[in-house]
Amino acid sequence: MSEQLRTGEAVHVCSVDDLPDVGAVVADIGGRRVTIARDSEGTVHAFDDTCTHANVSLAEGEVEDGLIECWLHGSQFDMRTGEPKQLPATAPIAVHTVTLDGDDVYVTLAD
Ligand code: FES
């Protein structure tokens, strides 16, 4: 995607109905791969898709209790803060702001 995003711009990404009941998909937002995930409480989260341990997609991992678990080595990240909760990853993932307007999911990218 070559479209330039303005800082702080909320981008329409998908509908809530496009998301699994509990799980994740990947979106391309201004050329950045972002995981859009819904947890068991129905909360929608957005964060960088690449695991900080190695270059794999977190969206292919498992969502459970506010955490996403990387499928490759089992690191878990808090989807609200991005902090790693389980080794081997030690660096956080960037978390983005999600805004819901009805069923529409908007994401504002962090810096
Ligand atoms: S690549 Fe994610 S934990 Fe190793």
Side-chain angles (χ1 to χ4, degrees), residues 28-94:
D28 181 320
I29 304 177
R32 190 165 177 168
R33 285 176 57 92
V34 175
T35 298
I36 312 296
R38 179 160 53 174
D39 66 23
S40 58
E41 295 179 348
T43 303
V44 178
H45 306 269
F47 45 87
D48 279 356
D49 184 55
T50 303
C51 181
T52 58
H53 181 239
N55 189 24
V56 301
S57 171
L58 288 172
E60 295 175 29
E62 195 160 324
V63 172
E64 190 175 334
D65 295 336
L67 301 172
I68 190 155
E69 180 175 308
C70 180
W71 59 272
L72 189 53
H73 304 115
S75 287
Q76 295 177 331
F77 297 89
D78 185 316
M79 296 191 292
R80 294 181 192 276
T81 66
E83 290 297 320
K85 297 295 185 184
Q86 176 73 41
L87 293 171
T90 56
I93 49 175

Side-chain angles (χ1 to χ4, degrees), residues 4-34:
Q4 191 82 24
L5 290 180
R6 290 183 300 253
T7 302
E9 181 179 358
V11 178
H12 180 255
V13 176
C14 63
S15 167
V16 171
D17 294 338
D18 296 328
L19 300 173
D21 287 345
V22 178
V25 299
V26 179
D28 181 320
I29 304 177
R32 190 165 177 168
R33 285 176 57 92
V34 175

